[in-house]
Amino acid sequence: MTKAPVTRRSFIKITALAGGGMVVAFNIDGDLFAQGGRGGGPPLAANAFIRFTPDGKVTIIGKNPEVGQGVKNLLPMIIADELDVHWSRVVVEQADADQAKYGSQLAAGSFSTPQNWTPMRQVGAAVRQTFLAAAAARWSVPATELTTASDAQAAGGARVVHAASKRSAAYGELASEAAKMPVPTLATVPLKDPKDYKIIGTPQRGVDTLNVVTGKPIFGIDFTLPGMLYAVYQKAPVFGAKVASANLDEIKKLSGVRDAFVLEGGTDLTALLPGVAIVADSWYQANQARKQLKVTWADHPTKAQSSAGFQTKADELGKAALAQPQGAPPQGATGWRKDGDVAAALAQPGVKAVEAAYMYPFIPHAPLEPQNCAAQLKDGKLELWAPTQMPGPALGVAAGAAGVQQTAITLHIMKAGGGFGRRLTNDFVAEASAIAKQMSPTPVKLLWTREDDMAHEFYRPAGYHYMKGGVDAKGRLIAWRNHHVTFGPPSGPQRYAGFSNISGQEFPARFVQNYEFGDSIIGALGVPVGALRAPGSNAFAFVFQSFLDELAHASGKDPLQFKLDVLANEVYPAQGNAYAERMTAVLKLVAEKSEWGKKKLPKGTAMGVAFHFSHQGYFAEVAQVTVDAQKRLKVDKVWVAGDIGSQVINPLHAENLVQGGVVDGISHMFQEITITDGAAVQTNFHQNPLIRMSQAPPVEAHWVKSNNPPTGLGEPSLPPVLPAVANAIFAATGTRVRSMPLSKHGFRWA
């Protein structure tokens, strides 16, 4: 058994339910969640509930939103294993939004595992102890003589066993007595040895999988209420522009339309923006009425912004900075780093210098389920049904839009048909809440069109990198310089628009003697930007690992060996940091599994390799591609090696997440949102294609089990695949891809 520390303020409360049942709630301090540099915030509390009922079921509440990442399985699995109940007897229920009860509730950043691993184990283990105590009291034997055993046939899914007297009792029989037992201090609760896990580490089908594949209405888009009306909301193409005029009187006369009105909104791109709402008896009628809507939009200062203008300004700033013999940190720069002397290193005899400009565009999240939210404001209370990734902030924007206190809001977290970070922003919740206020007390459901969803996104920010690097006569990396051109926010004290900044500590910092990073800001960005799956890393990995591949080819070395050599040369070691060791392990594993360098490949077929650390996950990937003379591209296969710590909680979902991350990353390579006259040009999948099933490669996942706490998996498998594919394209064709989308370089799917 192992023990995990908990502060003395942590506690468990157990109360009896009617009918002999039992409910368990626990409250845990936020310092347990401070992993990977996430400490320093206010204390967090998380409540989880375990309910035993006389019918023999064990109900465990899934507190975090489910957006396809399997967290609705993962957290209850941890509790159930330590509780020692049989998984087949567990019923999982989705929690409503209630941070006072559940603490942090979010689907973001691959945080669910590292935040909840220890707390969930402790709760299951502590409740198990109360059953042991109850049985000990009933049989007048020492609790040390008792054990528990999961049992699919027993009420409550487990039994307490006294081997000496051959007695046993089901959890369901002991629930009322266990509810009266004193609860041990969490810091003293023994936790299972990993070798004794029965649920953790075993593949478990998703608790909603059957409902999904049989088409049951379990998503937010499916939700209905008796007497519910339907709404659409028209916003300006230029983000945040106000309504100057609209033909509302004509719209109100159309069939099925109940009302049409202007919402003034504000200037915060993440909340309620100005627009026109149309409410009708059916969504079809509301959307048909919108086709006859005529709106004049007021002028907006960001109308002059464009992708072409951003590129021109970036080239001006980046090339000017790169031309300087020695850089200096821009005022207010947060990611600056300078080691050694890059210019002097590049001037040494025998050094091969490489210079390149890299660019990646704005791209959307493009979840298959458009944004939606049902809302009802009645008797001063607001009830919401929303597929949000951030329920806590949703309460805030809803309160502001509906004019009620957060304490007057009930938010039911709905299953989401994809999120990828888009549902971290609750603008659609604000819109539904404001419309519900106007239509009170009638319930209203807001549903966006695909065009709404793509043209009013929080895009992955574009970025521009101006690179210089060099290898010496022995093929060693000796210099690296990156000047990053990025965006400032629309307003406020921040230096960067959301997730457009980069840390100067990113690899290969510390692994090259002469290193320099700096940035320049184009100006205030009027385009909404936000967190796309593996934010920042999904773009940075493409730049860093592609440029590293360029330097590998300049050195004359095998690219994989070159990268291993760089990892072996930690010039400025970070105390207690095992980056090199863990990344080397996954790189060697993926080389072994892909048979790197051991296969003779036909002309036009080649492999590329890349690695990246993000969201506490260490991942290396090899992509094999085939490109024909017409530049038709096929990704033949991708091999993945990952290190997410000592334990893969649900191997089935882990494999799915790796496959999904790789396919999603490849899809990014053909996507682009172009800004013209302050608005998005692309509005649907015909202009911004997702990868098709026939184009998706087989993905083979492998794991390095390191002696580290388990971490999340929703994001870290995505970033390395972009440079792995790009590097393979170079190896197959000699064409170096330095910007996205691939279609700009003449590539298309085979």
Side-chain angles (χ1 to χ4, degrees), residues 231-284:
V232 295
Y233 192 58
Q234 181 71 41
K235 292 183 285 191
V238 178
F239 309 103
K242 288 184 173 294
V243 177
S245 65
N247 60 334
L248 298 182
D249 291 340
E250 294 177 32
I251 298 300
K252 292 177 183 179
K253 296 175 184 178
L254 297 176
S255 175
V257 174
R258 295 295 189 94
D259 204 354
F261 47 89
V262 172
L263 294 175
E264 291 299 324
T267 60
D268 183 354
L269 297 178
T270 67
L272 180 66
L273 291 177
V276 178
I278 301 173
V279 182
D281 291 330
S282 71
W283 185 83
Y284 176 81

Side-chain angles (χ1 to χ4, degrees), residues 58 87 98 134 185 188-189 214 235 259 332 374 378 426 440 480 507 511 527 562 637 640 644 647 652 707:
V58 187
W87 182 247
D98 189 341
T185 304
T188 67
V189 174
T214 55
K235 292 183 285 191
D259 204 354
K378 184 178 180 181
N426 291 291
S440 179
W480 179 286
F507 184 86
F511 290 86
V527 179
F562 181 81
K637 188 171 181 178
V640 179
I644 54 169
Q647 188 65 59
L652 179 60
N707 188 27

Side-chain angles (χ1 to χ4, degrees), residues 316-332:
E316 175 189 324
L317 293 170
K319 292 176 181 178
L322 211 58
Q324 298 299 316
Q326 193 68 38
Q331 184 178 2

Side-chain angles (χ1 to χ4, degrees), residues 344-354 469-473 476 478-479:
L346 292 174
Q348 293 175 12
V351 169
K352 292 182 181 178
V354 178
V471 292
D472 65 13
R476 297 174 298 192
I478 64 163

Side-chain angles (χ1 to χ4, degrees), residues 357-370:
Y358 279 80
M359 176 269 177
Y360 41 85
F362 298 99
I363 61 173
H365 300 80
L368 292 183
E369 178 194 32

Side-chain angles (χ1 to χ4, degrees), residues 315-622:
D315 285 342
E316 175 189 324
L317 293 170
K319 292 176 181 178
L322 211 58
Q324 298 299 316
Q326 193 68 38
Q331 184 178 2
T334 59
W336 175 261
R337 181 174 178 129
K338 180 182 179 297
D339 297 322
D341 189 328
V342 171
L346 292 174
Q348 293 175 12
V351 169
K352 292 182 181 178
V354 178
E355 185 170 334
Y358 279 80
M359 176 269 177
Y360 41 85
F362 298 99
I363 61 173
H365 300 80
L368 292 183
E369 178 194 32
Q371 310 314 309
N372 63 87
C373 180
Q376 182 177 25
L377 182 61
K378 184 178 180 181
D379 300 326
K381 294 183 179 180
L382 179 65
E383 193 165 6
L384 299 167
W385 294 262
T388 173
Q389 291 182 245
M390 293 285 277
L395 295 172
V397 299
V404 299
Q405 296 295 316
Q406 289 193 41
T407 53
I409 303 175
T410 300
L411 195 164
H412 306 289
I413 303 171
M414 304 300 293
K415 186 177 180 66
F420 316 111
R422 173 58 182 90
R423 302 183 203 272
L424 295 174
T425 309
N426 291 291
D427 50 336
F428 59 99
V429 177
E431 293 167 7
S433 301
I435 295 169
K437 178 182 180 182
Q438 181 77 13
M439 302 303 296
S440 179
T442 306
V444 180
K445 180 177 179 178
L446 171 70
L447 174 61
W448 289 20
T449 64
R450 178 70 60 201
E451 289 77 11
D452 291 331
D453 215 23
M454 200 166 288
H456 290 92
E457 261 270 20
F458 288 83
Y459 307 104
R460 191 275 307 279
Y464 315 86
H465 295 256
Y466 300 85
M467 316 289 296
K468 277 186 178 180
V471 292
D472 65 13
K474 295 183 179 180
R476 297 174 298 192
L477 177 64
I478 64 163
W480 179 286
R481 188 176 183 188
N482 176 13
H483 194 85
H484 176 216
V485 179
T486 184
F487 300 97
S491 61
Q494 300 88 358
R495 175 171 170 81
Y496 304 100
F499 296 94
S500 66
N501 63 304
I502 178 174
S503 167
Q505 316 309 312
E506 288 271 4
F507 184 86
R510 300 190 295 104
F511 290 86
V512 56
Q513 186 74 41
N514 306 286
Y515 175 93
E516 188 178 312
F517 173 83
D519 58 25
S520 294
I521 304 295
I522 290 178
L525 180 65
V527 179
V529 293
L532 175 68
R533 189 177 191 174
S537 297
N538 58 51
F540 305 151
F542 160 62
V543 176
F544 304 153
Q545 289 289 315
S546 295
F547 190 59
L548 199 63
D549 197 71
E550 291 200 53
L551 291 163
H553 284 281
S555 76
K557 288 185 178 180
D558 171 80
L560 194 146
Q561 186 58 52
F562 181 81
K563 294 182 180 189
L564 286 171
D565 291 345
V566 174
L567 286 167
N569 184 37
E570 193 167 4
V571 183
Y572 306 99
Q575 188 173 3
N577 188 314
Y579 180 98
E581 176 186 344
R582 298 179 73 176
M583 197 62 83
T584 297
V586 294
L587 196 53
K588 287 183 175 180
L589 179 60
V590 82
E592 172 195 335
K593 297 300 182 180
S594 66
E595 299 183 88
W596 178 273
K598 296 180 180 179
K599 296 184 291 189
K600 186 176 181 180
L601 300 173
K603 183 180 179 180
T605 298
M607 287 180 165
V609 63
F611 62 83
H612 194 73
F613 167 81
S614 70
H615 296 83
Q616 303 182 60
Y618 297 78
F619 276 79
E621 300 179 13
V622 169

